[in-house]
């Protein structure tokens, strides 16, 4: 057999090799571009996180200043009405609560406050602080994608569903919820209702009584944060 015969390769094999090499080259180029894009995105996320921290601290400092100012003049400081509530416990489909010990965020408006008054005997609710919002999202947060409960394993899950609203990472999501931003409805709908545990030590009061009467239900105001920590 001649050397020419030994070196002969069918045209179909050559075409297949070229196609495989082309795909490999395209994938390598895409990986490089993706790496560049992810690096740039990480910078954006980091800057946003820094901005949010500054915003939260400024708000806290302003609250402290106003309290001290009121005290210095012999007055009482009355905080502005809270725009956000967290509602855990009981079965209430109107508030997306379909399981006992589930919870959801609610934008407080005249309509939702009226609703919370109607269901007061069946729910505990109150005003979550930043720590509670953050820990709920990080520890118990799941996304609702195509009616499926999906773990938020990385920022791509958020960006895919909420990127059109400029929300591309967990800190964007937390900021939108905590500040009750313009895209609160979309973000809150993206979050699957939180599944919580029974509180450590159990419920202490009577479930039929209001919180201010030593019970468990009704508006706890900022005391809801203690309950959230026990149920995480």
């Amino acid at each position: 057999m001649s050397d020419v015969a030994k070196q002969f390769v069918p045209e179909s094999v050559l075409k297949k090799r070229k196609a495989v090499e082309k795909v490999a080259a395209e994938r390598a180029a895409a990986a490089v571009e993706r790496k560049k894009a992810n690096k740039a995105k990480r910078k954006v996320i980091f800057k946003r996180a820094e901005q949010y921290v500054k915003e939260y601290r400024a708000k806290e400092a302003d609250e402290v200043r106003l309290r001290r100012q009121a005290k210095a003049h012999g007055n009482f400081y009355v905080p502005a009405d809270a725009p956000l509530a967290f509602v855990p416990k009981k079965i209430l489909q109107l508030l997306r609560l379909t399981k006992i010990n589930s919870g959801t965020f609610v934008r407080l408006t005249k309509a939702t406050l009226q609703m919370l008054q109607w269901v007061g005997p069946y729910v505990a609710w109150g005003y979550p602080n930043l720590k509670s919002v953050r820990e709920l999202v990080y520890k118990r947060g799941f996304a609702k994608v195509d009616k499926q409960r999906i773990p938020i394993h990385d920022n791509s899950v958020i960006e895919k569903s909420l990127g059109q609203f400029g929300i591309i990472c967990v800190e964007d999501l937390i900021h939108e919820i905590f500040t009750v931003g313009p895209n609160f409805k979309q973000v809150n709908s993206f979050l699957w209702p939180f599944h919580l545990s029974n509180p450590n030590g159990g419920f202490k009061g009577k479930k039929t009584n209001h919180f201010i009467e030593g019970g468990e239900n009704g508006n706890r105001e900022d005391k809801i944060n203690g309950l959230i920590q026990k149920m995480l």
Side-chain angles (χ1 to χ4, degrees):
M1 186 178 292
S2 66
D3 293 340
V4 175
K6 288 180 180 179
Q7 296 174 2
F8 175 76
V9 180
E11 187 176 351
S12 59
V13 175
L14 290 173
K15 286 183 178 180
K16 187 175 181 179
R17 284 181 184 174
K18 288 181 179 179
V20 170
E21 290 172 356
K22 182 180 179 182
V23 170
E26 288 175 348
R27 287 179 178 175
V32 171
E33 291 301 317
R34 189 162 53 247
K35 188 175 181 180
K36 289 180 180 178
N38 288 339
K39 185 177 180 181
K41 197 175 295 179
R42 281 195 299 271
K43 288 183 179 179
V44 171
I45 291 171
F46 182 75
K47 286 182 179 179
R48 287 189 182 183
E50 281 188 325
Q51 176 187 336
Y52 296 151
V53 169
K54 288 178 181 178
E55 180 182 334
Y56 300 144
R57 287 177 178 172
K59 184 178 179 181
E60 289 176 1
D62 199 43
E63 290 283 316
V64 171
R65 179 183 62 79
L66 290 172
R67 282 195 181 92
R68 288 175 177 172
Q69 193 176 68
K71 186 177 180 180
H73 291 83
N75 298 321
F76 291 99
Y77 171 65
V78 180
D81 292 338
L84 176 69
F86 184 75
V87 188
K89 223 172 118 205
K90 300 296 180 181
I91 302 175
L92 293 166
Q93 194 162 358
L94 282 175
L95 295 173
R96 303 200 307 152
L97 304 183
T98 56
K99 291 186 177 181
I100 291 177
N101 292 339
S102 65
T104 186
F105 293 113
V106 176
R107 183 201 297 267
L108 291 180
T109 63
K110 185 177 180 179
T112 56
L113 281 170
Q114 182 65 61
M115 187 185 300
L116 287 168
Q117 287 180 359
W118 288 338
V119 300
Y122 310 104
V123 299
W125 64 281
Y127 314 134
N129 56 26
L130 176 60
K131 179 183 177 182
S132 293
V133 174
R134 175 173 277 121
E135 292 192 358
L136 281 164
V137 172
Y138 273 109
K139 294 183 178 181
R140 297 297 180 108
F142 281 79
K144 183 168 65 176
V145 179
D146 296 329
K147 299 183 180 179
Q148 299 294 315
R149 185 171 180 256
I150 306 297
I152 306 175
H153 51 76
D154 61 44
N155 289 324
S156 63
V157 177
I158 297 171
E159 185 176 12
K160 187 175 180 181
S161 296
L162 299 172
Q164 60 184 310
F165 305 109
I167 297 166
I168 63 173
C169 63
V170 176
E171 287 300 324
D172 284 345
L173 188 150
I174 291 169
H175 181 265
E176 193 69 18
I177 289 291
F178 182 64
T179 62
V180 192
N183 299 305
F184 174 87
K185 181 178 179 180
Q186 290 82 356
V187 173
N188 202 33
S189 296
F190 166 78
L191 287 171
W192 195 277
F194 298 92
H195 293 177
L196 305 175
S197 304
N198 284 321
N200 291 331
F203 289 104
K204 302 298 184 183
K206 291 183 179 180
K207 294 184 179 180
T208 55
N209 291 354
H210 194 284
F211 181 69
I212 61 175
E213 299 172 340
E216 295 292 347
N217 299 326
N219 184 6
R220 295 172 173 240
E221 299 184 355
D222 62 338
K223 299 296 189 297
I224 193 67
N225 296 294
L227 180 61
I228 290 172
Q229 293 301 315
K230 291 180 180 180
M231 299 180 76
L232 283 173

